[in-house]
Amino acid sequence: MRDFIERFEMGEENYLPHISIDCVIFGLSDDALKVLLLKVKDTESWVLPGGYVEKDESIEDAALHILRDRTGLSNIYLQQFNTTGSSGRSFPEDIKVICKSLGVKWTPDLWANKRFISIGYYALIDIEKCKPTGGDLDQEYSWIDMHRLPRLMMDHKDILLKAYESLKISLSNQPVGINLLPEKFTMPELQKMYEIILDKSIERSHFQKKMLRFDIFERLEERREGVPHKRPFLYRFDEKKYRDGVKKGARFDV
Amino acid sequence: MRDFIERFEMGEENYLPHISIDCVIFGLSDDALKVLLLKVKDTESWVLPGGYVEKDESIEDAALHILRDRTGLSNIYLQQFNTTGSSGRSFPEDIKVICKSLGVKWTPDLWANKRFISIGYYALIDIEKCKPTGGDLDQEYSWIDMHRLPRLMMDHKDILLKAYESLKISLSNQPVGINLLPEKFTMPELQKMYEIILDKSIERSHFQKKMLRFDIFERLEERREGVPHKRPFLYRFDEKKYRDGVKKGARFDV
């Protein structure tokens, strides 16, 4: 908490001025696309996990660093999607509310009131494998359905929707979505993931034929147990075959 | 020139620190994808048109402003593609060379030596319609074939290649390439544009069927004159039909 107050009041000493990072963390559960949001204490408002760039740190490292510190997550798939920087993009009224919830005195010349250009990253994680801790703010966090978003502070809703658009475009061109799945998955599970994110139903046999033609999934000897009807085979993503395919100009569009 | 020297030495007064904009301007000519580069005087090195963000200006306006000032171009299609910000991204040796060519005294504490996070935009223009003027630096500029790039200063080659990757992905999903064509174009010209950018040949009848099925091109009564064999019809892009299609979730993938 002390760290956070220092960051908020005296950021200029440690960070590049006017530059922030916001992270949109996607996961799948209960057949829905979820996003990890942090609740501002004693309010009904939520924010994206975010932070600043240290003077001697790359923007990618800053994003990883922020994710680790704010949510306890590490080792995850990150993708830069957009940088937002309208003129006068500053949110003193929202900063006031956050200050109050943190017990920090708000003043007009607080570092966090300034204009910030925000570099956006989205992360894709397997919710089962990566358990967020509250992080250094010890805030309440929640996986929230993309289609049932609560009130978000600042322009975080716009940032989140841009990340979602960008994820959909990426998924239509590359198998990025496998980062949302466990290491071993069935074709029906893979299809479900595409359907949830793209928000449309996909014809089963066409989908499976296309996926298998990509030749980037290894079929294992195991089958998924405990499901009704015929137990489907498990598959694993073959990173090397995928990289080779990309080099040869293969397309992985759905 | 005076403006430029002020910008270079005392940027901190007018611009957000540590933030730069680089623009990759694509055009088509002689059946090749070209990029507009500026030559640093009295050297064999080239740079992308670039600049900084004024304190009260959005990053999009800054990019448009830079394009107008540096190249004389306005009213063009701009797309943000990537922000690059490795730790210690600064180029004092290159700045030394640029200073020498401009007749500015280089010192280690020059503003332009600092670490910069660069926000990249690419522009797509119809070379015939938009004539760059050289701009406020009065530098030599040239349309250079993407496949025959000269020595580029700083990390501008990496930025340029990222822009090209991003353009290829966009073009596979949306008809952005029409910004490279004149207002009226034939189906063979449209196909040629796709082939040049994607760097592969496309089967003619499949391509035309797909394009016409998108229902975003209006066929005119006119035909292209002065071409051998059957004179092909001219088409025009229908922005409204395209927007309606996007709203309805239509895909424009090639």
Side-chain angles (χ1 to χ4, degrees), chain B residues 78-94:
Chain B
L78 258 193
Q79 177 63 48
Q80 192 194 107
F81 64 92
N82 185 58
T83 295
T84 186
S86 54
S87 158
R89 184 182 173 279
S90 73
F91 304 96
E93 291 307 315
D94 289 306

Side-chain angles (χ1 to χ4, degrees), chain A residues 201-224:
Chain A
S201 59
I202 299 173
E203 202 278 308
R204 185 180 154 280
S205 73
H206 176 75
F207 176 84
Q208 298 212 359
K209 254 184 232 149
K210 194 154 201 177
M211 287 295 142
L212 296 178
R213 214 184 302 126
F214 289 162
D215 192 27
I216 55 174
F217 301 110
E218 177 196 1
R219 195 174 91 172
L220 306 174
E221 290 308 307
E222 306 160 64
R223 292 167 183 263
R224 173 72 75 221

